[in-house]
Amino acid sequence: MPTPRAPWIPGGGTALDWGLRIPCPVGVGPAGLSGEGGAVWCLDCGDRYTGRPAQVGDDHPHRDDAHHAARLHADDHEADFRRFVHAERTREARENSGWTGSVYALVAAATGEDPDSGVWWDGNGYRLVPHGARIDAKGRRVRRRVVELIIKAGFLRQEEDGDVVATADGRAMLTIWRHHRAELAEPWPARAEPEALPPLPGGKEAQRRREAARQRALELERQAAQSRAEFLRRREEAERQHQADQAAKRQRQADEQAERERAERARTGADIYLTWSAVSAARWSVTGTGNDRRLDVVLNTTDFASDMYEIRENGHFVSRHPYRHQTEPAVRQLLADGVEIGQRTPGPTPAASTEAGPGEPAVRGQQAPPPPPFVTPVYGPRSVEQRGEPGFPLTHPATCALAGRRVAELAVRQKRKRLTGRSCTRQDEPTGCATTQNQSPREHRGASTVHRDHLQHARG
């Protein structure tokens, strides 16, 4: 049967509505010269090639009569469609039901149409008395799995007393299969039953399952909303915690940076305010706040190609710098170290004077203390206390040279010991070492030559 479409109605009429999901082919249009009446037009009754609808009956003087006549004509077409749709639905239901001859016999016996037939539970299993059996029949055993499948599909229902009765879906399915029993499938073999039977399309069991599915969907949506709200709450809490941690981290880093800057200022003496007191035109006495040490800064204009600021403490040279802006940090560094170089000169502290010239003494009326003379270090066996003497601090170049020479001599003696098996003392250095008991003259001469070369390289 062709699918109808909405008709084109002459004069601009409207099509009717009906219960099917396809457009109604019947409509009502104007009729007569005045346009107060109506005419019924039908697309299915018209020309199928041109698509022009045909008028059904005569014109009606009133529009209500035209609508009534159109409804009656639409019901005729709708009945044909409904019969076709019903036949298709029943065919699909039979093909998809999965019923067998044994299922049909069980549901037919449970309907109660035959008072001598039935299905019940006897305590050990299900028993069936089929439709049309004799009156005193005791019934036969039915596989429990088959009856449970039919009950789960909604075609049977077990009562409290053990009787099994057919449901409305079971009766409707029996009506569908009543004239098509020859098409029923063979009974299932033992232990080969399907997992489930499909319910009747549009039946109560299908509606119950749809409602249960809808309730499950609503429950899932509710749980999803709760989970979403919990997720948002935890995310906000984690974000707040993260922001708090980041703020604490930034504060901690700022505190650490401030502590490092404070320690750096304390190490370099950046917070020390220097007071420069002129002793002469090229000499200053520098003091710092919170420190009782006094450093001398002398502008040396003769010994170098450019002027140099020399820092001295207690007559000992400390360092020199070409510019004053480099001298001030060095002075602050010395004051911040807290390690005084040398011993203070006894006597009153020289007073600051801006009238002293380059060749005049540091204090008017008092000779400035001369610098300590350079004393050549005496090498030889000395104690640990004597190695830093005479009068030189541990960082003085002479002390460093002495320590380097002693390290070189110790390396030569260790190499000599590995080559000859005998240690070399300072008394052996000028003339060489004596031949050991187990050493040949050639081995001794070679070892002595190596020792002499190393010693000359260390001293030279």
Side-chain angles (χ1 to χ4, degrees):
M1 182 175 293
T3 301
R5 57 185 183 275
W8 172 77
I9 302 175
T14 57
L16 299 181
D17 294 331
W18 57 359
L20 300 178
R21 295 182 181 180
I22 55 179
C24 181
V26 182
V28 178
L33 298 177
S34 61
E36 297 179 357
V40 180
W41 298 86
C42 180
L43 185 64
D44 291 346
C45 298
D47 191 354
R48 297 180 180 273
Y49 297 98
T50 61
R52 180 178 179 85
Q55 183 176 358
V56 179
D58 300 331
D59 294 343
H60 299 276
H62 300 286
R63 184 61 63 90
D64 294 340
D65 296 340
H67 275 279
H68 180 69
R71 176 60 59 189
L72 294 177
H73 187 74
D75 290 342
D76 295 339
H77 289 289
E78 185 177 359
D80 298 337
F81 278 102
R82 289 192 178 278
R83 283 193 295 271
F84 174 77
V85 171
H86 178 71
E88 289 296 321
R89 287 180 178 177
T90 54
R91 182 183 62 80
E92 293 179 0
R94 290 196 305 272
E95 292 178 355
N96 300 328
S97 64
W99 274 35
T100 62
S102 59
V103 176
Y104 183 90
L106 284 170
V107 177
T111 56
E113 296 178 359
D114 187 357
D116 296 331
S117 63
V119 182
W120 69 93
W121 173 262
D122 62 355
N124 297 324
Y126 291 99
R127 302 188 70 88
L128 166 66
V129 176
H131 184 75
R134 64 178 185 272
I135 298 177
D136 57 347
K138 297 182 179 180
R140 57 183 176 85
R141 290 285 183 182
V142 183
R143 292 200 301 270
R144 181 175 180 178
R145 173 65 177 169
V146 176
V147 180
E148 290 177 353
L149 283 175
I150 301 174
I151 292 176
K152 289 181 180 179
F155 300 116
L156 294 179
R157 182 182 67 254
Q158 184 173 355
E159 303 290 345
E160 295 181 357
D161 56 357
D163 292 342
V164 179
V165 296
T167 61
D169 292 351
R171 295 175 183 273
M173 186 62 74
L174 283 178
T175 303
I176 293 174
W177 278 104
R178 191 175 302 278
H179 302 289
H180 302 276
R181 296 183 59 181
E183 301 178 6
L184 288 170
E186 295 295 330
W188 302 306
R191 301 182 184 86
E193 298 86 356
E195 293 294 331
L197 285 177
L200 176 66
K204 294 185 178 180
E205 179 64 19
Q207 295 178 2
R208 186 191 67 80
R209 293 186 180 184
R210 284 196 300 270
E211 181 64 21
R214 189 181 68 84
Q215 294 296 334
R216 286 196 300 271
L218 294 177
E219 180 65 19
L220 290 177
E221 290 181 1
R222 185 185 65 80
Q223 294 178 2
Q226 292 181 354
S227 301
R228 192 179 304 108
E230 181 68 16
F231 168 74
L232 294 176
R233 184 187 67 80
R234 293 190 179 185
R235 187 179 67 178
E236 293 176 358
E237 182 179 356
E239 184 66 22
R240 289 194 300 269
Q241 183 66 26
H242 176 70
Q243 294 295 338
D245 294 343
Q246 292 297 321
K249 181 180 179 180
R250 289 192 295 268
Q251 183 64 30
R252 183 170 63 256
Q253 291 177 352
D255 295 343
E256 292 176 357
Q257 181 65 20
E259 181 64 22
R260 285 193 297 268
E261 293 177 356
R262 186 196 64 78
E264 183 66 17
R265 290 195 304 270
R267 185 185 68 82
T268 59
D271 297 335
I272 298 177
Y273 179 75
L274 300 181
T275 303
W276 292 68
S277 301
V279 178
S280 64
R283 184 174 180 178
W284 296 268
S285 179
V286 185
T287 58
T289 55
N291 202 310
D292 58 349
R293 295 171 59 187
R294 184 180 297 273
L295 302 177
D296 294 333
V297 179
V298 179
L299 179 60
N300 191 341
T301 60
T302 59
D303 297 340
F304 302 96
S306 61
D307 297 345
M308 303 292 290
Y309 288 89
E310 296 181 352
I311 303 175
R312 299 179 183 179
E313 185 175 12
N314 296 329
H316 294 280
F317 170 79
V318 179
S319 62
R320 69 172 56 91
H321 305 275
Y323 302 103
R324 177 163 176 171
H325 71 272
Q326 298 176 353
T327 307
E328 292 183 358
V331 172
R332 288 192 178 94
Q333 182 69 56
L334 290 172
L335 295 178
D337 290 343
V339 179
E340 187 173 358
I341 300 176
Q343 300 295 330
R344 296 186 179 183
T345 304
T349 302
S353 175
T354 59
E355 300 177 358
E360 297 183 5
V363 181
R364 194 179 298 271
Q366 180 180 354
Q367 184 67 27
F374 179 78
V375 180
T376 304
V378 178
Y379 302 104
R382 293 175 297 170
S383 62
V384 177
E385 292 76 15
Q386 294 174 342
R387 291 176 185 173
E389 302 223 1
F392 296 104
L394 296 178
T395 58
H396 198 276
T399 307
C400 296
L402 176 60
R405 180 170 180 174
R406 292 187 62 83
V407 170
E409 292 177 357
L410 179 60
V412 171
R413 289 198 299 272
Q414 291 179 351
K415 188 172 185 65
R416 168 65 181 172
K417 184 177 180 180
R418 290 196 303 270
L419 294 174
T420 63
R422 178 178 176 272
S423 62
C424 179
T425 61
R426 288 183 177 273
Q427 289 76 10
D428 299 329
E429 290 177 3
T431 60
C433 299
T435 305
T436 57
Q437 182 178 1
N438 299 327
Q439 188 178 24
S440 65
R442 172 173 294 189
E443 292 176 352
H444 175 68
R445 284 196 302 271
S448 300
T449 302
V450 173
H451 169 68
R452 185 167 55 254
D453 294 341
H454 279 279
L455 188 59
Q456 289 177 358
H457 176 72
R459 291 183 176 179

